[in-house]
Amino acid sequence: MGAKMINPLRGMKDLIFEDSQKFVHIVTTAIKISKNYGYSYIEIPILEETALFKRSVGESSDIVGKEMYQFQDKGDNDVCMRPEGTAGIVRAFISNKLDRQDSTFRFYYYGPMFRYERPQKGRLRSFHQFGCESFGEASVYEDFMIICMIKDIFNALDINFALKINSLGCKDCMPPYRVKLVSFLSDIKDELCEDCKRRIDINPIRVLDCKIERCQSMLCNSPKLIDNLCEVCDSDFEKLKSLLDSVNIEYECDTNLVRGLDYYNKTAFEFISSEIGSQSAIAGGGRYDRLVEFLDGKSTPAIGFAIGIERIMDLVQLPQAKREGFYLGSMNEKGIENLCAISLNLVKNNKVTLEYKVKSLKSHLKSADKIGAKIIIFIGDDELANETLWIKDLETKEEKIIRIDELEFS
RNA sequence: GUGGAUGUAGCUCAGUCGGUAGAGCACCAGUUUGUGGCACUGGUGGUCGCGGGUUCGAUCCCCGUCGUCCACCCCA
């Protein structure tokens, strides 16, 4: 007594009842579709060496710079709870030497991610992502297919979205563009916000993404990467657009769309919902062809995405619950004993609720109705004396009395 | 990290110009003989977030703290 109540940590939430059902519904829907697209499940550790995220996500990002759950473990290792999924999966891809095989690998995953941020709508410190990563496929068709897959997932969940796409260029066209951009930004440096001034040196591309109106207005004449793409990147981006057109997926080219993580190149995309407040990105991803090599694997093209499960939770409707299973109750102690034996047989193939308390028929019916049972099996005084069961289907209202030994278990 | 709002039953909220609280929903039980969803009646349930201060007295006023929500920022 007197001990302080233990509450969940800030920004961490229990998913229970309707929320947990939605969670499962979202994940099973996404799994089904990604399997159809050729993805298989990968499960990796939540804890990784801190260096993994520093090298892949990039130290300039806020995620790594100030939001990681990072600590020394008892073996004095510098470790960290994963703030996102891709880095760990790329590490696993390399650790398992899959980069040595000249083949294609596609993985889906889901699970908790951790970011030490200030919580708000659509932003938790412990949250869940469902994501996919595809390795070994450089074709822009893969970019297209992955966007189709996300579209299919959202359609299956009946979620509206807007799609934004961009190309971030490759190792050939990005660096020269970057030089151009830095020179442009340096000229208008004094007009930009403090964050942007800082970004010019650390990660100038991020300036394009600045939310401050004043900065945005300064940027309308900035050199656009889209106009500076090399031939391959340009033709791939055009191909992607025509493929999307061919299947009537609407999209908007957003030249300022930059992914916050350093590892992206070429195709970048974001799915936006207008119905969930300011944290409107419900899925995001893109190509990261250099990351495997960067983490000391054999150079392998790759592309992936992640969906924020909590962010779409308010957008999904649970399929309507149907009456299901059996409710067993009695008016006397001996009846409960008999029903207990029956329950053990029924439960092999059915959802079963056995009421241990002696109650009136009316009371049992109420309880059975409340838990959504389809069939009630009842033993009253008559049934006990005659060794029979009173059975009623709560949906069709059909009822019958049968001998106990006549009951079929299906 | 910054700003705004907020914290009263399991849930959604009302209320006391300072005298230790109420509704709806939910839950439980009844509405006479063994028939559910509706209706009616009754009941259980709150040290009014926590800690200090002012006061004869605080859930209400003041300060602090913690949590929650929303926005900035960041991102899924």
Side-chain angles (χ1 to χ4, degrees), chain A residues 276-289:
Chain A
I276 53 168
S278 75
Q279 306 301 315
S280 59
I282 52 177
R287 201 159 256 295
Y288 50 92
D289 295 328

PDB file of all heavy atoms in Angstrom, chain A residues 276-289:
ATOM      1  N   ILE A 276      -6.790  13.157 -40.699  1.00  0.00           N
ATOM      2  CA  ILE A 276      -6.279  12.735 -39.392  1.00  0.00           C
ATOM      3  C   ILE A 276      -5.449  13.773 -38.667  1.00  0.00           C
ATOM      4  O   ILE A 276      -4.686  13.447 -37.763  1.00  0.00           O
ATOM      5  CB  ILE A 276      -5.447  11.438 -39.518  1.00  0.00           C
ATOM      6  CG1 ILE A 276      -4.360  11.607 -40.588  1.00  0.00           C
ATOM      7  CG2 ILE A 276      -6.328  10.262 -39.849  1.00  0.00           C
ATOM      8  CD1 ILE A 276      -3.342  10.491 -40.568  1.00  0.00           C
ATOM      9  N   GLY A 277      -5.551  15.041 -39.051  1.00  0.00           N
ATOM     10  CA  GLY A 277      -4.796  16.051 -38.331  1.00  0.00           C
ATOM     11  C   GLY A 277      -3.448  16.323 -38.967  1.00  0.00           C
ATOM     12  O   GLY A 277      -3.209  15.964 -40.112  1.00  0.00           O
ATOM     13  N   SER A 278      -2.565  16.923 -38.208  1.00  0.00           N
ATOM     14  CA  SER A 278      -1.348  17.437 -38.817  1.00  0.00           C
ATOM     15  C   SER A 278      -0.331  16.351 -39.148  1.00  0.00           C
ATOM     16  O   SER A 278       0.550  16.553 -39.970  1.00  0.00           O
ATOM     17  CB  SER A 278      -0.711  18.483 -37.920  1.00  0.00           C
ATOM     18  OG  SER A 278      -0.082  17.863 -36.844  1.00  0.00           O
ATOM     19  N   GLN A 279      -0.420  15.211 -38.459  1.00  0.00           N
ATOM     20  CA  GLN A 279       0.493  14.114 -38.804  1.00  0.00           C
ATOM     21  C   GLN A 279      -0.147  13.320 -39.925  1.00  0.00           C
ATOM     22  O   GLN A 279      -0.707  12.254 -39.727  1.00  0.00           O
ATOM     23  CB  GLN A 279       0.758  13.234 -37.589  1.00  0.00           C
ATOM     24  CG  GLN A 279       1.259  13.981 -36.384  1.00  0.00           C
ATOM     25  CD  GLN A 279       2.551  14.717 -36.645  1.00  0.00           C
ATOM     26  OE1 GLN A 279       3.480  14.199 -37.232  1.00  0.00           O
ATOM     27  NE2 GLN A 279       2.607  15.977 -36.235  1.00  0.00           N
ATOM     28  N   SER A 280      -0.064  13.862 -41.137  1.00  0.00           N
ATOM     29  CA  SER A 280      -0.919  13.356 -42.207  1.00  0.00           C
ATOM     30  C   SER A 280      -0.285  12.275 -43.064  1.00  0.00           C
ATOM     31  O   SER A 280      -0.950  11.678 -43.883  1.00  0.00           O
ATOM     32  CB  SER A 280      -1.352  14.525 -43.090  1.00  0.00           C
ATOM     33  OG  SER A 280      -0.210  15.154 -43.617  1.00  0.00           O
ATOM     34  N   ALA A 281       1.006  12.031 -42.897  1.00  0.00           N
ATOM     35  CA  ALA A 281       1.652  10.997 -43.695  1.00  0.00           C
ATOM     36  C   ALA A 281       1.284   9.626 -43.150  1.00  0.00           C
ATOM     37  O   ALA A 281       1.618   9.280 -42.026  1.00  0.00           O
ATOM     38  CB  ALA A 281       3.162  11.181 -43.676  1.00  0.00           C
ATOM     39  N   ILE A 282       0.566   8.844 -43.939  1.00  0.00           N
ATOM     40  CA  ILE A 282       0.156   7.525 -43.458  1.00  0.00           C
ATOM     41  C   ILE A 282       1.067   6.423 -43.987  1.00  0.00           C
ATOM     42  O   ILE A 282       1.091   5.325 -43.456  1.00  0.00           O
ATOM     43  CB  ILE A 282      -1.315   7.215 -43.799  1.00  0.00           C
ATOM     44  CG1 ILE A 282      -1.597   7.419 -45.296  1.00  0.00           C
ATOM     45  CG2 ILE A 282      -2.231   8.119 -42.984  1.00  0.00           C
ATOM     46  CD1 ILE A 282      -3.021   7.052 -45.686  1.00  0.00           C
ATOM     47  N   ALA A 283       1.807   6.733 -45.034  1.00  0.00           N
ATOM     48  CA  ALA A 283       2.820   5.788 -45.516  1.00  0.00           C
ATOM     49  C   ALA A 283       3.882   6.577 -46.258  1.00  0.00           C
ATOM     50  O   ALA A 283       3.585   7.607 -46.858  1.00  0.00           O
ATOM     51  CB  ALA A 283       2.203   4.745 -46.442  1.00  0.00           C
ATOM     52  N   GLY A 284       5.092   6.091 -46.201  1.00  0.00           N
ATOM     53  CA  GLY A 284       6.159   6.775 -46.910  1.00  0.00           C
ATOM     54  C   GLY A 284       7.257   5.796 -47.246  1.00  0.00           C
ATOM     55  O   GLY A 284       7.421   4.777 -46.581  1.00  0.00           O
ATOM     56  N   GLY A 285       7.965   6.116 -48.314  1.00  0.00           N
ATOM     57  CA  GLY A 285       9.050   5.215 -48.662  1.00  0.00           C
ATOM     58  C   GLY A 285       9.769   5.672 -49.905  1.00  0.00           C
ATOM     59  O   GLY A 285       9.569   6.795 -50.368  1.00  0.00           O
ATOM     60  N   GLY A 286      10.571   4.778 -50.433  1.00  0.00           N
ATOM     61  CA  GLY A 286      11.304   5.110 -51.636  1.00  0.00           C
ATOM     62  C   GLY A 286      12.481   4.178 -51.830  1.00  0.00           C
ATOM     63  O   GLY A 286      12.653   3.201 -51.100  1.00  0.00           O
ATOM     64  N   ARG A 287      13.259   4.526 -52.807  1.00  0.00           N
ATOM     65  CA  ARG A 287      14.403   3.703 -53.185  1.00  0.00           C
ATOM     66  C   ARG A 287      15.619   4.061 -52.336  1.00  0.00           C
ATOM     67  O   ARG A 287      15.772   5.230 -51.946  1.00  0.00           O
ATOM     68  CB  ARG A 287      14.685   3.968 -54.678  1.00  0.00           C
ATOM     69  CG  ARG A 287      15.448   2.907 -55.368  1.00  0.00           C
ATOM     70  CD  ARG A 287      15.247   2.968 -56.872  1.00  0.00           C
ATOM     71  NE  ARG A 287      14.345   1.923 -57.336  1.00  0.00           N
ATOM     72  CZ  ARG A 287      14.597   0.607 -57.270  1.00  0.00           C
ATOM     73  NH1 ARG A 287      15.737   0.172 -56.740  1.00  0.00           N
ATOM     74  NH2 ARG A 287      13.741  -0.265 -57.722  1.00  0.00           N
ATOM     75  N   TYR A 288      16.424   3.064 -52.023  1.00  0.00           N
ATOM     76  CA  TYR A 288      17.673   3.329 -51.287  1.00  0.00           C
ATOM     77  C   TYR A 288      18.775   2.416 -51.819  1.00  0.00           C
ATOM     78  O   TYR A 288      19.285   1.548 -51.134  1.00  0.00           O
ATOM     79  CB  TYR A 288      17.463   3.177 -49.772  1.00  0.00           C
ATOM     80  CG  TYR A 288      16.793   1.910 -49.316  1.00  0.00           C
ATOM     81  CD1 TYR A 288      17.545   0.789 -48.971  1.00  0.00           C
ATOM     82  CD2 TYR A 288      15.410   1.820 -49.222  1.00  0.00           C
ATOM     83  CE1 TYR A 288      16.940  -0.381 -48.562  1.00  0.00           C
ATOM     84  CE2 TYR A 288      14.794   0.659 -48.810  1.00  0.00           C
ATOM     85  CZ  TYR A 288      15.561  -0.440 -48.484  1.00  0.00           C
ATOM     86  OH  TYR A 288      14.949  -1.593 -48.069  1.00  0.00           O
ATOM     87  N   ASP A 289      19.161   2.680 -53.036  1.00  0.00           N
ATOM     88  CA  ASP A 289      20.067   1.780 -53.754  1.00  0.00           C
ATOM     89  C   ASP A 289      21.483   1.721 -53.176  1.00  0.00           C
ATOM     90  O   ASP A 289      22.228   0.788 -53.439  1.00  0.00           O
ATOM     91  CB  ASP A 289      20.157   2.208 -55.227  1.00  0.00           C
ATOM     92  CG  ASP A 289      18.822   2.050 -55.942  1.00  0.00           C
ATOM     93  OD1 ASP A 289      18.067   1.123 -55.584  1.00  0.00           O
ATOM     94  OD2 ASP A 289      18.521   2.861 -56.836  1.00  0.00           O
TER      95      ASP A 289
END
